[in-house]
Amino acid sequence: MKALATSTLFWLMWFSSHIGLKCEERNFRIKMDEFSVKYKVRDLIQHIDFRIVNLNNRSYVNGEMIVNSDVNDILMHTTMDFWKTTTQKKIKLYDGRLDACQFLKTSHRNGLFKIYVKSFKKHVNGNLACPLKMNFNYTLTNWHMDERDLPPFVPLGKFRTVTEYFTQDRLALRIVTQGKVLSYKTN
């Protein structure tokens, strides 16, 4: 958790120093190459299906999930690695374990997570809060990272996130996202 706090503090300071320039034109775009969801607790998940759709030079994630019972406790382990195009050196942006229910309530306190959760909430059909409701179809429609929500300068490179969700001391879901930060001129 200390590593998460240190890297989070760095990125929070970096993002906050650029937040005043938010209205500037962006010269980069975010492209997702993979958004894979593997579920491990078969008795918990009634239905799950997520996929990437590429349209108009942008990648979107669409999908849905239905759980068989209310889910009150969710622990999350999440990591994000980034490789700058210029150096190819791996940078760990964060690696942390936290209570996902508490995270959804307090994500506004962390700049990097705030951007991600804000983006996600714009594209989901229900309230992302605990407990997750039994038989509710949580639908994600055309989710993408809007470059206007990010600072005006983000280095070009590749990223990979791995997020695992645990409930009742069991690994329930594992989501892997891979993508690129590309120059806006790149096709």
Side-chain angles (χ1 to χ4, degrees):
M1 198 60 166
K2 192 173 191 174
L4 174 65
T6 303
S7 66
T8 300
L9 180 61
F10 168 77
W11 285 102
L12 181 60
M13 290 186 322
W14 187 81
F15 277 120
S16 63
S17 69
H18 292 84
I19 217 74
L21 305 172
K22 192 172 181 169
C23 62
E24 286 185 19
E25 190 66 31
R26 302 300 186 260
N27 63 355
F28 63 90
R29 63 186 174 88
I30 308 295
K31 180 179 187 306
M32 286 183 278
D33 299 318
E34 177 186 356
F35 188 90
S36 63
V37 179
K38 306 258 192 263
Y39 63 102
K40 306 292 186 178
V41 181
R42 303 246 180 236
D43 58 319
L44 177 65
I45 309 290
Q46 183 182 122
H47 171 75
I48 194 165
D49 179 37
F50 288 91
R51 63 215 158 274
I52 290 181
V53 175
N54 291 298
L55 182 64
N56 297 329
N57 210 21
R58 177 173 293 285
S59 51
Y60 299 94
V61 175
N62 292 307
E64 55 207 23
M65 178 181 77
I66 302 172
V67 294
N68 284 323
S69 60
D70 287 352
V71 181
N72 294 308
D73 69 316
I74 307 169
L75 297 176
M76 178 171 75
H77 176 224
T78 183
T79 64
M80 182 175 195
D81 297 320
F82 187 82
W83 295 263
K84 285 176 73 173
T85 301
T86 55
T87 63
Q88 290 301 312
K89 181 180 177 185
K90 181 169 98 170
I91 302 166
K92 183 157 300 287
L93 297 183
Y94 56 79
D95 183 349
R97 297 176 191 280
L98 48 132
D99 180 320
C101 296
Q102 189 64 29
F103 168 76
L104 288 171
K105 292 178 192 173
T106 62
S107 63
H108 63 279
R109 295 181 186 168
N110 177 301
L112 186 57
F113 290 140
K114 178 181 177 178
I115 292 168
Y116 180 74
V117 172
K118 176 185 167 190
S119 170
F120 205 71
K121 284 183 175 183
K122 281 191 229 177
H123 299 276
V124 73
N125 68 326
N127 183 19
L128 285 180
C130 292
L132 293 181
K133 301 292 184 193
M134 171 177 68
N135 296 324
F136 181 80
N137 188 348
Y138 290 92
T139 304
L140 188 62
T141 306
N142 292 335
W143 176 71
H144 64 282
M145 289 302 299
D146 187 338
E147 292 82 5
R148 293 173 296 185
D149 291 338
L150 297 169
F153 174 76
V154 172
L156 303 181
K158 299 184 305 185
F159 62 87
R160 182 174 192 259
T161 65
V162 177
T163 305
E164 297 174 321
Y165 297 93
F166 298 83
T167 186
Q168 301 169 355
D169 295 323
R170 301 183 296 171
L171 174 60
L173 287 175
R174 184 174 200 259
I175 300 174
V176 176
T177 305
Q178 292 189 140
K180 300 176 189 81
V181 179
L182 300 168
S183 168
Y184 195 74
K185 300 170 195 163
T186 308
N187 291 326

